[in-house]
C-alpha cells in the first residue's frame, strides 16, 4: 500500500503546532453526554460504591448539576434512577407513575434549564423487584408484554418533557412500538436513542450498585443482552432499530467495544454514540487514585479513542471533569 521512499513520518510530529495541523480526531465539549444517577431516598448526595466522586443525587442537587452542565457547555444529560425498594414490584408499576422520581426530575430540569437536553433511560430494571429489564413469567423474560410496558413508560416520560428517550432493555421490537405510541400521542418530535448493541457485560456492576439493583437481580441478562463474542449481530440489531425509527444508536459498553462502533459507523453512517459505563469509570478511577495512571491524560485519551472509532458522542460519568479540562490551556 505504501510506496513513498522519501517519507519520514516523524517530520509531521516535530512541534505542537504541526501535530495540531495533521490531527484527525478531536474531542470537544459537544461530544459529551453527562450520565447522572438520581435517587428518591431523601439524601441530597450519597456516594456510589466503586465509583469514586460519583453520587446519587436528590432532585434539588440535580438542578445544581444541570446548571453546571450548561455553564460548562455540555449539551445533554442522561438520567438513571435509584428507586426505593418499597416502590419495586413484579409489574414495575413505578415506571408508569407520572409523579415518580424521573418525571419529577425531568420537569424540574426542563423548567430550570430549558436549553439543556434531557435523555431518559427507558427500562424496567430500576422498578422491578427481580432487577430484570423485562416482565417475567416463571423465570422467563416476556418480550412483547415488556415492549408494551416500555412504550407506556416512554409516553409518560415524553409527557414529563424528556427530549430523548433511550430504551436500554434489548427487547425485540421496542423501538417501533415506542415510536408508534409517541407519534399517536402527539410526541413525534421526541427522539429515540436506541441502545441498539448492548452487551451482557460484567462492566455494569458498579451501576447496579448505584441504582440498587445489584442485591435484587436474579441470574443474569444473557437471554436479552448481546453475547460479547458477537459482532455481525450488532449490525442486525442496529439495522432493525433504524428501520423501526431510531434517530440515534448506541453501543454499550464503550472502550472494549469500539470495534463495533467502527463497523456500525462504516455500515450505516448514522449518529452513533457509545456509553463509557460504570465499570470503565471504576477501572480508570481506581488506577488513577492509586497513582498508577494519570487521570486527566488517561481519560482524555480514552475519549479520543471513542472519537477515532467513529462516535459522534460519548455518554460518560467523566463529562463535567472533561469539560473543565477542555477549558484549560493545553
Ligand atoms: C439497564 C441499564 C444498565 C446500564 C444503563 N441502563 C445496566 C444493565 O443492563 O444492567 C449500565 C450503565 C453503567 O454501567 O454505567 N437498563
Amino acid at each position: 500500500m505504501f510506496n513513498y521512499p522519501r517519507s519520514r513520518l516523524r517530520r509531521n510530529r516535530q512541534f505542537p503546532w504541526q501535530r495540531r495541523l495533521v490531527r484527525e480526531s478531536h474531542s470537544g465539549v459537544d461530544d459529551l453526554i453527562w450520565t447522572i444517577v438520581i435517587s428518591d431516598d431523601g439524601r441530597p448526595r450519597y456516594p456510589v460504591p466503586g465509583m469514586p466522586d460519583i453520587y446519587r443525587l436528590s432532585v434539588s442537587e440535580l438542578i445544581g448539576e444541570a446548571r453546571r452542565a450548561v455553564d460548562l457547555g455540555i449539551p445533554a444529560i442522561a438520567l438513571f434512577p435509584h428507586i426505593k425498594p418499597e416502590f419495586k414490584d413484579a409489574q414495575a408499576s413505578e415506571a408508569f407513575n407520572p409523579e415518580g422520581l424521573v418525571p419529577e426530575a425531568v420537569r424540574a430540569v426542563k423548567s430550570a434549564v430549558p436549553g439543556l437536553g434531557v435523555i431518559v433511560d427507558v427500562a424496567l430494571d430500576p422498578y422491578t423487584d427481580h432487577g430484570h429489564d423485562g416482565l417475567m413469567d416463571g423465570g422467563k423474560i416476556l418480550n412483547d408484554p415488556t415492549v408494551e410496558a416500555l412504550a407506556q413508560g416512554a409516553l409518560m416520560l415524553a409527557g414529563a418533557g424528556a427530549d430523548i428517550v433511550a430504551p436500554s432493555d434489548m427487547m425485540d421490537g421496542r423501538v417501533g412500538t415506542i415510536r408508534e405510541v409517541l407519534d399517536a400521542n402527539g410526541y413525534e418530535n421526541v427522539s429515540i436513542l436506541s441502545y441498539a448493541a448492548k452487551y451482557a457485560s460484567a462492566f455494569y456492576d458498579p451501576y447496579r450498585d448505584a441504582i440498587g439493583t445489584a442485591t435484587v437481580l436474579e441470574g443474569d441478562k444473557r437471554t436479552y443482552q448481546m453475547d460479547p463474542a458477537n459482532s455481525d449481530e450488532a449490525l442486525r440489531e442496529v439495522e432493525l432499530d433504524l428501520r423501526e425509527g431510531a434517530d440515534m444508536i448506541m453501543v454499550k459498553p464503550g472502550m472494549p467495544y469500539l470495534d463495533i462502533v467502527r463497523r456500525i459507523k462504516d455500515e450505516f453512517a448514522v449518529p452513533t454514540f457509545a456509553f463509557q459505563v460504570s465499570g470503565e469509570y471504576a477501572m480508570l478511577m481506581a488506577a488513577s487514585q492509586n497513582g498508577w495512571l494519570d487521570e486527566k491524560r488517561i481519560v482524555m485519551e480514552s475519549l479520543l479513542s471513542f472519537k477515532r472509532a467513529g462516535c459522534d458522542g460519548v455518554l460518560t460519568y467523566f463529562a463535567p471533569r472533561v469539560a473543565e479540562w477542555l477549558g484549560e490551556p493545553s
Side-chain angles (χ1 to χ4, degrees):
M1 173 163 120
F2 291 104
N3 185 20
Y4 306 117
R6 309 299 298 262
S7 84
R8 285 174 172 267
L9 292 181
R10 287 187 54 201
R11 254 194 306 262
N12 282 343
R13 299 178 197 143
Q14 293 181 85
F15 308 108
W17 62 263
Q18 201 166 25
R19 294 191 291 270
R20 283 167 58 207
L21 280 180
V22 298
R23 193 159 286 156
E24 297 171 36
S25 299
H26 300 268
S27 315
V29 77
D30 294 349
D31 304 326
L32 301 171
I33 295 172
W34 181 2
T35 51
I36 301 180
V37 180
I38 55 176
S39 174
D40 60 1
D41 69 6
R43 291 177 288 213
R45 266 179 189 259
Y46 187 77
V48 173
M51 299 183 72
D53 296 337
I54 301 296
Y55 300 84
R56 293 175 191 154
L57 305 179
S58 66
V59 171
S60 59
E61 289 288 303
L62 169 68
I63 299 306
E65 299 296 62
R67 293 191 201 281
R68 209 173 132 221
V70 173
D71 291 343
L72 288 166
I74 294 172
I77 59 173
L79 301 177
F80 302 91
H82 171 273
I83 299 295
K84 279 200 200 92
E86 54 268 39
F87 287 168
K88 299 181 192 235
D89 61 26
Q91 281 72 47
S93 315
E94 185 64 13
F96 319 106
N97 176 7
E99 305 305 319
L101 172 65
V102 179
E104 183 200 340
V106 171
R107 282 190 295 267
V109 172
K110 289 309 296 185
S111 79
V113 275
L116 179 67
V118 176
I119 304 173
V120 288
D121 225 43
V122 175
L124 303 183
D125 58 319
Y127 307 100
T128 53
D129 55 11
H130 45 64
H132 280 288
D133 295 51
L135 303 172
M136 291 182 85
D137 184 20
K140 284 217 162 77
I141 309 288
L142 303 172
N143 193 87
D144 298 4
T146 300
V147 166
E148 295 302 326
L150 290 165
Q152 291 312 309
L155 178 59
M156 184 276 283
L157 293 165
D163 300 294
I164 300 179
V165 294
S168 69
D169 53 286
M170 291 300 281
M171 297 300 122
D172 289 322
R174 88 276 206 218
V175 172
T177 304
I178 290 172
R179 188 70 275 162
E180 270 167 33
V181 169
L182 291 179
D183 288 356
N185 288 278
Y187 296 109
E188 51 283 293
N189 291 327
V190 171
S191 306
I192 300 179
L193 165 59
S194 167
Y195 287 72
K198 174 168 176 178
Y199 287 85
S201 172
F203 283 100
Y204 307 146
D205 286 6
Y207 172 86
R208 292 182 189 163
D209 277 329
I211 67 156
T213 59
T215 47
V216 294
L217 182 63
E218 296 160 14
D220 58 51
K221 301 191 176 183
R222 286 187 286 186
T223 68
Y224 46 106
Q225 298 179 347
M226 283 179 60
D227 186 334
N230 294 351
S231 170
D232 291 345
E233 191 187 348
L235 301 185
R236 299 181 67 199
E237 285 284 3
V238 169
E239 183 168 12
L240 285 171
D241 285 1
L242 290 172
R243 280 183 197 281
E244 290 174 28
D247 301 286
M248 296 163 271
I249 62 94
M250 194 201 303
V251 173
K252 179 178 173 193
M255 255 167 80
Y257 294 84
L258 293 181
D259 58 319
I260 308 297
V261 171
R262 171 47 66 195
R263 285 193 72 183
I264 289 172
K265 196 68 185 176
D266 287 346
E267 182 79 19
F268 299 103
V270 293
T272 302
F273 296 82
F275 196 144
Q276 185 172 45
V277 298
S278 56
E280 299 175 67
Y281 179 88
M283 285 197 306
L284 298 179
M285 283 303 284
S288 302
Q289 293 203 332
N290 266 303
W292 298 333
L293 293 172
D294 178 74
E295 183 186 335
K296 176 178 172 182
R297 283 166 50 237
I298 204 73
V299 171
M300 294 308 274
E301 184 177 331
S302 77
L303 287 173
L304 198 56
S305 69
F306 283 90
K307 293 293 290 184
R308 200 188 54 241
C311 286
D312 295 288
V314 184
L315 291 94
T316 177
Y317 299 94
F318 287 112
R321 263 169 275 170
V322 169
E324 274 166 16
W325 291 327
L326 286 166
E328 293 169 2
S330 53

